[in-house]
């Protein structure tokens, strides 16, 4: 039984080279897609059989540091694959509802009509990561901080960000252990346990507006995280309008 999601847009369907390239090739990490036109509308059907969306996967669970490492590594590989097939990388969707997961691999929707900037959309996705991060996972905290901070800069390099995030943390293990012992000796845990801070003391605002979650962040939100990272050796950190989404089982 095939399960699919469909993106519809009020525009006459035109099958360009991108769709032909996607149909003639099985591109790793890109969901199979079929395009069709009805009257003056275009429909793009994505086969998501056996897969779960990122949005659904983390609706009740938190994102771990290992999850983020896998995602970043595979996202970079998908972008490189798209370029190898002469596809416009800015057509790769970054919303959690369009990213799917199955058996250790993430899959992405390629939407030829997308009018977006991939790098800006990736930063928006990091805001979702901030919200869903497991703050009991210190590696997750480190990675979320890096990708959120670095994707705010202009002309950032995803490759460099991924390289930094995938660094082995073994060399930091002894430093962390020593710091914990030091804190225990002095009875000082306030700076280490960054996950225990009272979020009400910071300007992390979450509110509902017309059914959509709006998040506003300030520098204060990251203060306890920065405090944690500064205690370690510092690493070198170098809409579409009118879209309609449906799920259908055939």
């Amino acid at each position: 039984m095939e399960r699919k999601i469909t993106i519809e847009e009020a525009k006459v369907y035109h099958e360009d080279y991108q769709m032909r390239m996607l149909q003639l090739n099985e591109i790793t990490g890109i969901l199979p897609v079929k395009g069709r036109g009805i009257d003056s509308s275009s429909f793009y059907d994505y086969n998501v059989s056996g897969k779960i969306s990122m949005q659904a996967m983390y609706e009740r669970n938190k994102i771990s540091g290992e999850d983020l490492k896998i995602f970043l590594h595979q996202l970079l590989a998908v972008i490189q694959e798209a370029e190898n097939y002469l596809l416009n990388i800015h057509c790769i969707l970054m919303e959690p509802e369009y990213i799917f997961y199955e058996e250790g691999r993430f899959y992405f929707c390629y939407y030829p009509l997308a009018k977006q900037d991939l790098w800006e959309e990736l930063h928006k996705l990091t805001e979702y990561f901030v919200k869903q991060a497991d703050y009991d996972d210190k590696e997750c905290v480190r990675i979320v901080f890096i990708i959120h901070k670095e994707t705010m800069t202009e002309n950032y390099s995803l490759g460099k960000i991924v390289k930094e995030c995938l660094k082995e943390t073994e060399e930091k293990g002894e430093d962390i252990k020593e710091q914990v012992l030091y804190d225990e000796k002095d009875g000082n845990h306030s700076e280490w346990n960054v996950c225990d801070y009272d979020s009400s003391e910071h300007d992390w605002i979450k509110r509902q507006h017309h059914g959509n979650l709006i998040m506003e962040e300030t520098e204060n939100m990251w203060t306890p995280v920065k405090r944690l990272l500064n205690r370690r050796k510092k690493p070198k950190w170098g809409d579409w309008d009118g879209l309609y989404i449906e799920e259908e089982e055939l």
Side-chain angles (χ1 to χ4, degrees):
M1 183 178 293
E2 183 179 284
R3 177 171 171 263
K4 68 178 181 178
I5 63 168
T6 299
I7 300 179
E8 175 185 357
E9 185 156 339
K11 183 176 182 179
V12 175
Y13 179 74
H14 173 67
E15 187 168 294
D16 58 10
Y17 82 93
Q18 297 178 93
M19 287 301 296
R20 289 193 289 272
M21 187 70 74
L22 290 167
Q23 291 169 1
L24 291 174
N25 300 278
E26 190 173 313
I27 305 176
T28 303
I30 298 292
L31 286 168
V33 57
K34 294 180 180 179
R36 54 192 172 92
I38 299 178
D39 298 328
S40 58
S41 295
S42 297
F43 299 84
Y44 293 84
D45 303 318
Y46 299 86
N47 185 347
V48 296
S49 300
K51 300 173 179 60
I52 183 174
S53 71
M54 175 182 283
Q55 183 180 56
M57 186 162 62
Y58 296 119
E59 185 174 352
R60 297 183 180 180
N61 300 309
K62 293 299 182 180
I63 300 174
S64 70
E66 191 62 29
D67 292 341
L68 289 174
K69 288 181 177 181
I70 293 171
F71 174 80
L72 290 170
H73 182 270
Q74 294 181 0
L75 171 60
L76 183 60
V78 165
I79 291 174
Q80 293 172 341
E81 276 287 277
E83 290 178 330
N84 290 339
Y85 285 92
L86 304 179
L87 295 173
N88 182 0
I89 63 171
H90 299 288
C91 293
I92 300 173
L93 306 188
M94 287 287 101
E95 289 91 338
E97 60 266 35
Y98 299 128
I99 300 171
F100 288 79
Y101 179 86
E102 180 184 22
E103 298 181 349
R105 173 166 291 281
F106 287 93
Y107 296 85
F108 300 82
C109 292
Y110 185 94
Y111 183 55
L113 301 184
K115 297 179 178 65
Q116 62 171 17
D117 182 276
L118 175 67
W119 312 119
E120 292 178 1
E121 295 302 307
L122 178 55
H123 177 67
K124 293 178 183 178
L125 182 62
T126 69
E127 295 177 346
Y128 171 79
F129 291 158
V130 168
K131 175 178 175 290
Q132 297 299 123
D134 181 357
Y135 284 92
D136 290 327
D137 182 340
K138 295 178 178 62
E139 183 68 356
C140 179
V141 174
R142 181 185 76 90
I143 295 174
V144 166
F145 180 68
I146 292 173
I147 60 178
H148 186 267
K149 174 179 177 291
E150 295 301 322
T151 56
M152 293 179 69
T153 62
E154 292 186 11
N155 301 319
Y156 64 83
S157 168
L158 179 59
K160 290 182 179 179
I161 294 174
V162 171
K163 183 178 180 180
E164 179 64 36
C165 291
L166 296 183
K167 276 185 177 179
E168 294 294 335
T169 57
E170 294 178 358
E171 61 186 42
K172 300 179 182 179
E174 287 303 315
D175 293 335
I176 294 173
K177 181 179 179 181
E178 290 176 4
Q179 187 60 61
V180 171
L181 293 174
Y182 175 82
D183 285 342
E184 288 178 346
K185 180 179 179 181
D186 289 3
N188 177 17
H189 296 273
S190 60
E191 290 189 282
W192 174 253
N193 293 324
V194 297
C195 306
D196 297 333
Y197 70 90
D198 183 359
S199 61
S200 64
E201 296 178 0
H202 304 279
D203 297 328
W204 182 248
I205 302 171
K206 301 175 184 177
R207 67 178 185 269
Q208 294 291 335
H209 180 65
H210 299 303
N212 294 319
L213 180 65
I214 297 177
M215 300 186 295
E216 297 178 359
E217 62 182 291
T218 69
E219 187 69 16
N220 289 338
M221 182 265 171
W222 284 112
T223 298
V225 180
K226 288 182 177 179
R227 188 181 298 126
L228 164 64
L229 295 175
N230 286 335
R231 293 175 71 91
R232 310 181 189 179
K233 293 180 180 179
K234 294 183 178 179
K236 295 182 180 179
W237 289 351
D239 293 352
W240 316 285
D241 296 330
L243 282 189
Y244 174 69
I245 309 302
E246 64 178 8
E247 288 200 11
E248 178 181 340
E249 291 194 4
L250 301 180

